[in-house]
Amino acid sequence: MSSLKEKFASSLEPMRAKVKSFVKEHGDTKISEVTVAQAYGGMRGVKCMVTETSALDPVEGIRFRGFNIPELREKLPKAPGGEEPLPEGIFYLLLTGELPSEDDVKEVTEEWRQRSSLPDYLIDILKAIPKDTHPMTQFSQGILALQKESIFAKKYREGLSKMEYWDPMYEDAMNILAKLPLIASYIYRKTYKNDEHIPPDPNLDWGGNFAHMVGIEDEIFKELMRLYLVIHSDHEGGNVSAHTTHLVGSTLSDAYYALSAGMNGLAGPLHGLANQEVLRWIMEVKEDLGGVPDKEQLVKYLWDTLKAGKVIPGYGHAVLRQTDPRYMAQREFALKHLPDDEIFKVVSAIYEVAPDILREHGKAKNPWPNVDAHSGCLLLHYGVTEYDFYTVFFGASRAIGVLASLIWDRALGLSIERPKSITTDWIEAQIKK
Ligand code: HAX
């Protein structure tokens, strides 16, 4: 057994015992109430699900197992000579709750390398998908096509104790994570680079290798990839990609079904697809205004966008009420590595005016930028010019968090999800009462 799996196995029992006793002794304690507005309004703020891996504070932003992003950038192991944290480390942390050592991370890198090869039938399936199919559709299909490999589904069919569910789920999650950079870069090179593929480099880490297989060898881009794959990995349990993965998994669907479903949710423009929408919109801003706009031009442009009934992409958030720390981490990266980039200048100029405009507009509860307002500008700088691909990077990263959670879901024996829906007539009757 690998040390990661062993460590996870050893942390199981105390957690199981704690949850069991909470439910037994405090099962009737109220942790939330639901209003009519919340029932119609996407259940904002209703506390009704448990996710161990991360927690989101509206003002401070995300904490991964208690660590904020600056702390992660400092404490997680790095690639040799690198400054940014390795995604393998965030997986270890999310799964076990403990910071990994350099050796722990090396072991995960090696294990993912060993599990990474893609079966021929998957390549045939990916080849058969038309090139003009959105990369997120291809990504989701690629993950789903591998479902026949599921160890969880096989073991379940053979008969498995509920206490053991986590073990094949762990195996599925590790196999999927190992393969995601290969699936994603295969889709990228097939769709945009004449089907010319780049074999993996066995000496590289997960994120560095992803950059290499996409075809960008700049060492700073590899660092960007590592940072990007860490900061997008998890955002507590209620966001659509995490919740969908958890929900589908709650039926004891395996990790392939659950993750593919989660990726379909990430592909919506109000969620992960916002990153491609931001870049497309910024390019329109630049083109319409003839270059990096001045403040006056930008103010008018943003108002025109809002008056046309459109959202300002990359701004607002369902939970956050401050600038997203994931935005700030990317801004710091840009200030260090590409301060003179034209698109970065536009992103910065928008940051200066958009919050005031959104406040004055008076609709968005959060006028500040989210993670997607910044990522495209960095990817573009290093040569990823195909905006439609941006959400696939996000998806590979998000898989880290949602699969770590899925292993915990099965380890804790969480139930099939089945909240109670009501009708408008029922609400009306309640109000009359
Ligand atoms: N521009 C214009 N209007 C906005 C807005 C924005 N950026 N953000 C919110 N609003 C509007 C909403 O459309 C809503 O209008 P209606 O009352 O007419 O429906 C109103 O303000 C209240 O919305 P809210 O409560 O502040 O926001 P929600 O929790 O409903 O939605 C969203 C959160 C992120 C979906 C929203 O802010 C949005 O559409 N932003 C732009 C798209 C975007 O950046 N998405 C990425 C979010 C981060 C993420 O999940 N990444 O994966």
Side-chain angles (χ1 to χ4, degrees):
M1 207 189 267
S2 73
S3 19
L4 173 59
K5 193 171 181 184
E6 225 168 285
K7 182 153 200 74
F8 179 74
S10 69
S11 63
L12 266 186
E13 277 318 320
M15 230 5 229
R16 274 179 176 161
K18 194 189 229 180
V19 171
K20 205 172 164 193
S21 90
F22 272 180
V23 176
K24 193 169 169 221
E25 288 165 36
H26 307 285
D28 292 331
T29 303
K30 271 196 188 157
I31 53 171
S32 211
E33 277 179 315
V34 186
T35 64
V36 171
Q38 285 170 315
Y40 282 106
M43 299 181 278
R44 291 291 179 288
V46 180
K47 297 182 190 74
C48 60
M49 58 188 296
V50 180
T51 302
E52 305 293 347
T53 47
S54 64
L56 182 58
D57 179 84
V59 176
E60 197 209 26
I62 189 70
R63 275 190 183 264
F64 303 86
R65 292 286 190 174
F67 295 97
N68 64 24
I69 290 176
E71 286 164 351
L72 286 186
R73 287 176 90 182
E74 187 204 321
K75 291 180 196 299
L76 283 180
K78 326 268 186 298
E83 290 183 341
E84 298 299 345
L86 288 165
E88 291 89 324
I90 190 84
F91 181 69
Y92 187 104
L93 174 68
L94 294 180
L95 191 65
T96 65
E98 285 182 29
L99 284 170
S101 66
E102 303 258 343
D103 284 346
D104 293 330
V105 161
K106 272 191 197 140
E107 201 180 304
V108 178
T109 303
E110 179 52 25
E111 193 171 347
W112 284 355
R113 195 187 62 73
Q114 283 174 17
R115 293 172 184 251
S116 67
S117 70
L118 303 184
D120 290 345
Y121 72 84
L122 176 64
I123 301 294
D124 291 343
I125 289 170
L126 291 175
K127 264 194 189 131
I129 302 174
K131 275 187 186 180
D132 59 355
T133 304
H134 193 282
M136 276 304 280
T137 317
Q138 301 191 50
F139 192 52
S140 174
Q141 284 178 307
I143 294 163
L144 194 58
L146 282 172
Q147 188 278 332
K148 78 186 205 65
E149 310 294 330
S150 172
I151 298 171
F152 181 87
K154 181 170 176 281
K155 295 274 182 198
Y156 186 83
R157 207 168 39 237
E158 287 167 4
L160 184 69
S161 143
K162 198 174 175 180
M163 302 304 276
E164 304 299 326
Y165 284 170
W166 70 269
D167 188 317
M169 190 55 87
Y170 175 96
E171 295 300 324
D172 278 358
M174 292 295 274
N175 284 335
I176 294 174
L177 285 167
K179 292 176 187 351
L180 288 183
L182 281 94
I183 298 174
S185 43
Y186 187 91
I187 293 166
Y188 181 78
R189 304 287 308 179
K190 180 203 100 174
T191 308
Y192 304 116
K193 304 289 172 188
N194 271 338
D195 236 327
E196 288 162 9
H197 299 280
I198 300 169
D201 179 343
N203 299 313
L204 279 171
D205 54 282
W206 194 75
N209 203 20
F210 196 173
H212 158 75
M213 290 185 292
V214 160
I216 300 174
E217 291 300 351
D218 188 328
E219 288 305 315
I220 306 294
F221 181 69
K222 292 197 178 96
E223 282 287 272
L224 172 64
M225 264 296 95
R226 293 167 186 133
L227 175 66
Y228 184 105
L229 294 166
V230 166
I231 63 176
H232 287 76
S233 61
D234 213 30
H235 219 222
E236 72 169 36
N239 68 79
V240 170
S241 49
H243 188 191
T244 307
T245 307
H246 165 79
L247 170 69
V248 174
S250 82
T251 69
L252 300 187
S253 258
D254 58 61
Y256 296 87
Y257 281 123
L259 181 65
S260 171
M263 291 300 104
N264 298 342
L266 192 71
L270 298 187
H271 191 18
L273 206 80
N275 56 14
Q276 73 165 56
E277 298 300 297
V278 166
L279 236 270
R280 199 157 270 137
W281 178 73
I282 285 178
M283 289 315 203
E284 274 168 31
V285 173
K286 231 181 123 230
E287 200 178 310
D288 291 350
L289 302 179
V292 179
D294 63 31
K295 192 173 171 185
E296 204 179 315
Q297 284 175 309
L298 206 48
V299 168
K300 183 177 175 327
Y301 201 92
L302 292 183
W303 274 115
D304 288 347
T305 302
L306 290 171
K307 282 178 192 157
K310 297 186 212 160
V311 294
I312 297 184
Y315 280 73
H317 200 272
V319 180
L320 282 169
R321 296 294 175 260
Q322 250 310 343
T323 298
D324 191 333
R326 300 172 298 174
Y327 177 95
M328 290 314 287
Q330 295 180 93
R331 182 170 164 77
E332 272 173 35
F333 190 95
L335 285 168
K336 181 165 181 191
H337 296 290
L338 45 129
D340 299 324
D341 181 275
E342 273 218 328
I343 307 299
F344 173 53
K345 285 187 179 162
V346 182
V347 169
S348 298
I350 295 171
Y351 186 33
E352 275 176 35
V353 300
D356 282 346
I357 292 175
L358 279 168
R359 246 190 243 111
E360 199 182 325
H361 184 242
K363 268 189 164 186
K365 292 188 190 70
N366 177 37
W368 300 102
N370 59 58
V371 64
D372 298 317
H374 215 302
S375 51
C377 130
L378 300 177
L379 295 169
L380 184 69
H381 178 85
Y382 292 98
V384 188
T385 55
E386 303 84 2
Y387 315 150
D388 283 4
F389 194 76
Y390 293 173
T391 314
V392 177
F393 287 123
F394 192 160
S397 169
R398 182 50 55 94
I400 292 175
V402 301
L403 291 177
S405 277
L406 202 58
I407 299 167
W408 269 108
D409 290 350
R410 296 293 73 78
L412 295 177
L414 299 188
S415 305
I416 183 169
E417 260 200 27
R418 201 348 182 149
K420 176 85 186 86
S421 73
I422 54 211
T423 62
T424 296
D425 284 348
W426 185 91
I427 292 179
E428 206 171 20
Q430 258 339 79
I431 292 166
K432 280 188 188 145
K433 268 194 215 166

